[in-house]
Amino acid sequence: MLLISCPWCGERDEVEFHYGGESHIAYPDDPEAITDDAWGEFLFVRNNPSGEFRERWLHTHGCRRWFNLLRDTSTHEIVRSYRMGESADQSSGAERESD
Amino acid sequence: MASSAPSEPRMAPLSGWESRFVEASESGVVELGERPFLAHVNLRLDPSNLSARARVRETLGVELPLSPNTVSDGAGHAALWLAPDEWLLVGPTGSEGEIVGSLQGALAPYHHSVLDITANRTTLELVGSRAREVLATGCGLDLHPRVFGPGRCAQTLYAKTQLVVWQIDDVPTFRLLVRPSFAPYLAEFLCDAMLEW
């Protein structure tokens, strides 16, 4: 089981959380103006890297906040968690030493 | 009918469990009991609003804690941090109407939400030198005294049941706040866990 660091509550078991897919997908400024292809891209197309991935998680059974997690999809190493509105590069997020 | 006062006394979710609790408890080691009907009020407020927080302090005599998963006490009330803008206020049995009324008056100028949720959860008290071990049987939370001590609370899972765990003293005494429909299941699980000690 993953030990996920909620930016509010600290480290908790994975079962307390729900996964919310890739983060930092911005809603189109003017959805009426973009093509169907671009809209489909926005709705359905996500990165699937082998390596570090920025994703959203919800601390369902704790503080019920959405937050971002920088996780390595091949090693499951959790590099950093950070609150909504913060960037992954800011150091204010809860940081975890890599093993 | 709806406006008349209830003619029958209210029934605790775990009424009838008293003998099971006595049977499972070992005095001084670990004891379990129910503390039903404590007043529970949910408060939502912008934490950066200093004057609104001051109003709460003046009204209830308790400071709203800002650090995650902590509890502050004052004037018979406790405020548990549930989320960055959400607290659970716990008061003596029967005081929920008074808490809601006074807060609604005090917070009227501000964007807020105050809700009586007394019936939403019942409280189990797990007390004794082995209480921590009993709790650890079904809960993944780090309960080491270095991490989780008096004045700490957490929303977590115990045996897949959503709980608010709240340590009130050094004995240690844990208050477990649980939904009434889950209470018999939780009580059953805890009584079984307590067999070991």
Side-chain angles (χ1 to χ4, degrees), chain B residues 130-144:
Chain B
R130 293 291 186 175
R132 189 169 275 119
E133 280 90 336
V134 171
L135 201 52
T137 55
C139 176
L141 207 63
D142 187 354
L143 292 166
H144 193 280

Side-chain angles (χ1 to χ4, degrees), chain A:
Chain A
M1 190 186 296
L2 294 178
L3 200 55
I4 297 175
S5 187
C6 165
W8 297 99
C9 301
E11 290 188 345
R12 297 290 183 90
D13 288 344
E14 184 186 351
V15 288
E16 292 190 13
F17 297 87
H18 268 98
Y19 185 67
E22 184 175 7
S23 58
H24 304 295
I25 307 282
Y27 191 80
D29 287 332
D30 186 1
E32 300 287 333
I34 62 174
T35 63
D36 286 354
D37 280 354
W39 181 250
E41 185 93 6
F42 159 71
L43 277 186
F44 303 116
V45 180
R46 297 290 179 264
N47 286 322
N48 185 24
S50 171
E52 285 191 0
F53 190 43
R54 294 174 184 195
E55 50 200 21
R56 296 178 302 178
W57 286 79
L58 172 67
H59 193 188
T60 320
H61 297 302
C63 59
R64 302 181 306 289
R65 293 304 106 157
W66 283 98
F67 61 95
N68 296 301
L69 199 67
L70 186 58
R71 181 178 66 97
D72 192 307
T73 56
S74 52
T75 63
H76 275 319
E77 181 199 343
I78 292 167
V79 182
R80 183 176 299 132
S81 69
Y82 53 103
R83 294 173 187 176
M84 284 295 165
E86 290 177 348
S87 114
D89 310 317
Q90 286 171 342
S91 56
S92 51
E95 218 163 315
R96 203 174 142 206
E97 292 289 314
S98 54
D99 301 320

Side-chain angles (χ1 to χ4, degrees), chain B residues 13-43:
Chain B
L14 292 175
S15 62
W17 276 76
E18 294 80 2
S19 57
R20 284 290 306 276
F21 292 150
V22 170
E23 203 179 304
S25 298
E26 177 90 43
S27 181
V29 180
V30 60
E31 293 170 73
L32 183 65
E34 190 188 15
R35 288 276 316 262
F37 311 135
L38 291 174
H40 287 180
V41 175
N42 188 273
L43 170 66

